[in-house]
Amino acid sequence: MMLRSRLLNLQIPSVISASQFRRSSTPSLLSVRYPLSHSTIRNSHQHASASMTRNSSVSDTEKTSRTVLFVPPGVEPNEVNDDMILPGSNIVIGPYAGDSKIKEVEFVKSSGRAKDCPKDNRPEFAILGRSNVGKSSLINALVRKKEVALTSKKPGKTQLINHFLVNKSWYIVDLPGYGFAKASEAARMDWSSFTKGYFMNRDTLVAVMLLIDASVPPQKIDLDCANWLGRNDVPITFVFTKCDKMKVGKGKRPDENMRDFQELIRQNYRQYPPWIMTSSVTGLGRDELLLHMSQLRNYWDQ
């Protein structure tokens, strides 16, 4: 459980200074406001809110930035400047960010159950999203190899948990897409069951990269997925895809859809999770996302 404990620590609300981070089972800030089964989560958030109220010396601007930005360990919130924030994101880069280059990648195995996944204790990042969100295309763009992940014009092709070993040291995990309407009901239930089993039983999971299609308005199924992950203390980063697609006519632009999505998130979450804009077509956000993943990985892998 060492990786998961560190993971939860990293997502303590950023109004707490880096020196106060502890490697204990601190509840994730992703927990939503409606009643939860874990009273410790509610108590933690109440304490954080009270601490912000008492700190009258902090300006309104500082309070806002500390609420919105994702501040990693090793960074004092009051020392954050614009140069430390990754473009197209709310992610601050700190001392744990390191070499983010992908030198080699190899497919390891496909698993139908969480217990069949690799057991070598390497840290891993799960790629999750609604079918046709561009999940496989993003993976291919990250590793800069065609067809590392199976791409298809037919949503729902990924039906197993697929592990790809990167630089012989960490994994990218391609998970089945959710919400594919044309899949059979039995298949949809099966995908949901074994995917949730993976989240609940995978101690080496560093974070879930939850892909959100920025070319369309916010989807309830994405919000439901984010809320489920939050309630179960599974840390996430929102990865907005298809940010290159500029809608014409009646449709909204990607930046408008992103703002709408984040406004809905703000209604349920006390603090924004990390988020970043990407495009597998133009390469937007690729290097920045890998740098973000490197600092998460290096923090747990020390």
Side-chain angles (χ1 to χ4, degrees):
M1 296 296 291
M2 182 61 70
L3 291 180
R4 179 60 58 85
S5 296
R6 291 183 181 180
L7 181 66
L8 298 180
N9 277 326
L10 187 58
Q11 301 209 40
I12 297 173
S14 56
V15 292
I16 300 175
S17 68
S19 63
Q20 292 176 283
F21 275 86
R22 297 183 179 88
R23 294 177 186 175
S24 60
S25 298
T26 307
S28 167
L29 61 82
L30 297 181
S31 304
V32 293
R33 288 179 178 171
Y34 44 75
L36 303 174
S37 59
H38 302 292
S39 60
T40 54
I41 296 176
R42 293 194 298 270
N43 293 338
S44 174
H45 286 163
Q46 291 168 359
H47 174 73
S49 299
S51 296
M52 178 181 286
T53 302
R54 289 194 300 268
N55 189 2
S56 58
S57 63
V58 179
S59 69
D60 290 340
T61 301
E62 288 175 322
K63 288 179 182 179
T64 300
S65 65
R66 292 180 185 185
T67 300
V68 173
L69 291 178
F70 175 77
V71 182
V75 177
E76 293 287 349
N78 59 1
E79 296 177 351
V80 173
N81 59 58
D82 290 344
D83 292 336
M84 299 169 65
I85 304 172
L86 289 176
S89 81
N90 70 334
I91 299 167
V92 175
I93 289 299
Y96 287 99
D99 185 5
S100 60
K101 293 181 180 179
I102 293 183
K103 303 176 179 65
E104 59 179 313
V105 58
E106 60 179 302
F107 171 74
V108 175
K109 68 177 299 187
S110 295
S111 307
R113 299 172 299 180
K115 66 180 183 179
D116 296 329
C117 292
K119 298 178 175 62
D120 52 15
N121 294 319
R122 291 185 172 100
E124 55 193 48
F125 294 88
I127 311 296
L128 177 67
R130 183 166 48 85
S131 293
N132 207 29
V133 73
K135 183 164 53 69
S136 297
S137 296
L138 178 70
I139 294 175
N140 291 337
L142 288 177
V143 303
R144 285 184 170 161
K145 291 182 181 292
K146 293 182 179 180
E147 298 182 357
V148 166
L150 180 63
T151 57
S152 174
K153 293 183 179 180
K154 296 181 179 180
K157 287 292 284 187
T158 302
Q159 300 183 29
L160 297 170
I161 303 171
N162 299 302
H163 275 74
F164 298 91
L165 183 60
V166 180
N167 298 343
K168 298 187 183 302
S169 62
W170 58 280
Y171 287 109
I172 289 177
V173 184
D174 186 11
L175 295 176
Y178 55 82
F180 178 42
K182 292 185 179 181
S184 69
E185 182 177 357
R188 291 200 302 271
M189 291 178 64
D190 186 54
W191 294 353
S192 175
S193 177
F194 81 74
T195 300
K196 288 181 178 179
Y198 166 83
F199 292 135
M200 301 303 293
N201 298 293
R202 196 65 178 165
D203 293 339
T204 51
L205 177 63
V206 174
V208 174
M209 305 288 110
L210 182 58
L211 275 54
I212 307 296
D213 188 343
S215 70
V216 298
Q219 304 293 301
K220 181 179 183 298
I221 193 170
D222 292 329
L223 295 166
D224 288 345
C225 181
N227 288 341
W228 185 91
L229 292 168
R231 288 196 302 273
N232 288 279
D233 297 336
V234 181
I236 63 178
T237 293
F238 291 125
V239 179
F240 290 99
T241 65
K242 306 181 184 181
C243 290
D244 59 290
K245 293 191 174 182
M246 299 299 293
K247 290 288 186 180
V248 295
K250 297 181 180 179
K252 289 187 175 182
R253 301 192 312 268
D255 60 325
E256 295 174 315
N257 290 326
M258 286 176 52
R259 283 197 296 268
D260 290 345
F261 182 89
Q262 293 187 39
E263 181 60 33
L264 292 171
I265 288 296
R266 182 160 49 186
Q267 295 174 16
N268 288 333
Y269 291 71
R270 290 188 180 275
Q271 181 179 358
Y272 289 140
W275 62 265
I276 188 168
M277 300 171 62
T278 68
S279 167
S280 59
V281 175
T282 66
L284 172 70
R286 175 195 180 270
D287 294 343
E288 290 78 9
L289 179 56
L290 286 173
L291 192 59
H292 169 57
M293 293 166 71
S294 81
Q295 71 176 355
L296 297 182
R297 185 176 67 253
N298 290 336
Y299 177 63
W300 287 289
D301 203 25
Q302 60 185 320

